[in-house]
Each structure stands twice: as C-alpha cells, then as structure tokens.
Amino acid sequence: MDHQAPPQVRVLDAADAAVPFLLQEVRALASGQESESNQRPLISFATGGTFTAFFRALDAEIKQGRITPTEFLGTHLDEYMGFEPERPGGMLHELSLRCPAMRDMLARGSFLPVPCHGAEGSLRAHEERIERAGGIKLQLLGIGRNGHIAFNEPGASLDEGFHVTTLAESTRVDAKARFVPDQPPRRAVTAGMKSILTAERIILCAFGADKAAAVTSMLQGEVNGTCPASALRMHKNALVLLDSAAASNLDAGAIAGAMH
Ligand code: F6R
C-alpha cells in the first residue's frame, strides 16, 4: 500500500444524512449482494458520538427485519484497557446499549470483541479470527480532534496490528463525560493502522466544526503518523462523509460532490 489515492469525499446536507447511507452499505453486505463467497461478511464498527444515530437506526432496522443479524459478523475497533463488555464507559458496553442486537450477536459468538486486557497472545488470536472470517469487508471509522483513528494517536506507527496504546491527553479530555465521576483510563487496546488498512472498504464519518482541522490534515496534510487518519490516502476504497462544518477548512478541489 505505497500508493496514494485520494479518498472519495462527500459533503452531506446534515450529519443525519449519513444514517440511511450507512444502513444501505450494511444491508447490501448482509444480504450478500456484494459477495461471491458463502462466508458471512465481517463488519467492523467504530464507537463514539459520531455513530450514535446510526446504531439506533441499525437496531430499529434489525428489529423490523430489514437487516438480519445472522447474515453478518461484527467486530469493533478498540476498547479501554480492562473494560469487559458489561462495564459502563467501555466501547462494547456503549455499542450494546445503543444497539442491543450487538449484545445478542456477542452472546451468539457472531461478534468478535477486542481482547480488553491486551495480552499479546490474545491480540494475535483476535487478528487470526478476523482473518479466518475472511477479513473485514467494511470498516466504519470516526476521527478524533487530534487526527486519531481508532486509538492510533498522533505519532503512531502506520505499520502495527492490534496493540496496547497510551491515550493522548486531548482524547482523555474528550472521553471525560463517559467516566464521570472517575477519570478516563490512560490506556486502551486498539486496531493498528495496518489492521485498519486491510479492510476492503472504509467509510470515515466526521461531523461538526471540532473535526474541521483534523479533516483538513487527513486530506490535505502529509501522509504520516502525525495525523494517523492521513493513512487513509493509502487505501484504494475509502469514502469520507462530512457535514459542512467538518468540511469547512477544505479546499474545494478535495471534495468529490455533495450528497443529498
Ligand atoms: C472509537 C474510535 C475513535 C472515535 C473518535 C471520534 O471506537 O475509534 O477513534 O471514532 O474518537 O469519537 P466521536 O465519534 O465520539 O467524536
């Protein structure tokens, strides 16, 4: 992956417009429209505020039978160190609250949890499970204000698999609300950039003015670990969905077209 191919960039009328678009991507994969193999496609989800509306809508789709959860496998990007699925504040706990169907998938073994204690052997075993499942077909991503994706903070290697990382101070500040009255953890287990870039298709969503600087570095800065999200420009099938506030610092040439 040494080439650069600018991701497609679309600016939405509003962040909510991403929801039906993302649901359609999941629906197409789950219904097998996109696949020649018999294997159930593996979809890797990002957590965080960016995807709250999407997860609620996904849960409703599943309840109404428009997406069948037995037709795909799920996984996620990252977990706070030592946070078991039932522990409030954790990523999997958040995912299960917003989309209880994911909790059922976890119970059935069709959701692959990130090993939250970070033991080396468990991380390699997790990567092998992903590989045996045929790799990640669709990777959803958010972006941190500092340009992180998953918990690959500025300065991260672009050539690492799942690993334990130390959270940047701005990431801990942004995570404060979910841990009150406690302090946010200092460490997390995360998919590395190498793992993320092996996904067949990547969709990154960024909404709000807080994300504008990170979005500009991602799409117009240097491709290196200073802005880990810039590594998306080494991927052949990446789409970036923005609202106008997140896109506000971009040069016009960086944007493929509006999506209504
Ligand atoms: C979470 C994750 C993070 C978030 C990012 C944006 O699984 O991978 O990289 O996507 O911190 O978080 P929100 O969406 O809360 O702004």
Side-chain angles (χ1 to χ4, degrees), residues 232-252:
L232 251 58
R233 282 154 54 200
M234 298 193 289
H235 196 275
K236 282 193 195 128
N237 187 9
L239 170 67
V240 174
L241 296 180
L242 305 172
D243 65 2
S244 50
S248 57
N249 289 351
L250 287 177
D251 295 342

Side-chain angles (χ1 to χ4, degrees), residues 120-193:
E120 189 60 24
S122 70
L123 298 181
R124 301 295 76 85
H126 182 61
E127 288 171 349
E128 278 159 28
R129 271 193 298 274
I130 290 175
E131 211 172 305
R132 275 201 306 278
I136 291 166
K137 298 288 179 242
L138 174 63
Q139 175 67 65
L140 301 186
L141 294 175
I143 184 171
R145 279 189 300 136
N146 64 0
H148 74 211
I149 52 180
F151 282 135
N152 295 278
E153 302 284 20
S157 157
L158 300 184
D159 197 29
E160 238 185 324
F162 277 81
H163 62 281
V164 173
T165 188
T166 300
L167 298 175
E169 221 25 62
S170 71
T171 301
R172 295 186 69 231
V173 167
D174 288 348
K176 241 183 160 123
R178 63 195 291 148
F179 295 103
V180 168
D182 300 324
Q183 290 304 311
R186 294 189 182 279
R187 294 200 303 160
V189 181
T190 185
M193 292 308 305

Side-chain angles (χ1 to χ4, degrees), residues 45-52 76-80 91 94 98 139-153 171 174-175 178 190 196 204-207 210-211:
F45 298 98
T47 39
T50 304
F51 290 97
T52 303
H76 62 137
L77 279 171
D78 41 25
E79 187 54 271
Y80 293 106
M91 298 303 196
E94 172 193 305
R98 291 178 179 163
Q139 175 67 65
L140 301 186
L141 294 175
I143 184 171
R145 279 189 300 136
N146 64 0
H148 74 211
I149 52 180
F151 282 135
N152 295 278
E153 302 284 20
T171 301
D174 288 348
R178 63 195 291 148
T190 185
I196 291 170
L204 180 143
C205 294
F207 308 129
D210 278 1
K211 303 288 173 78

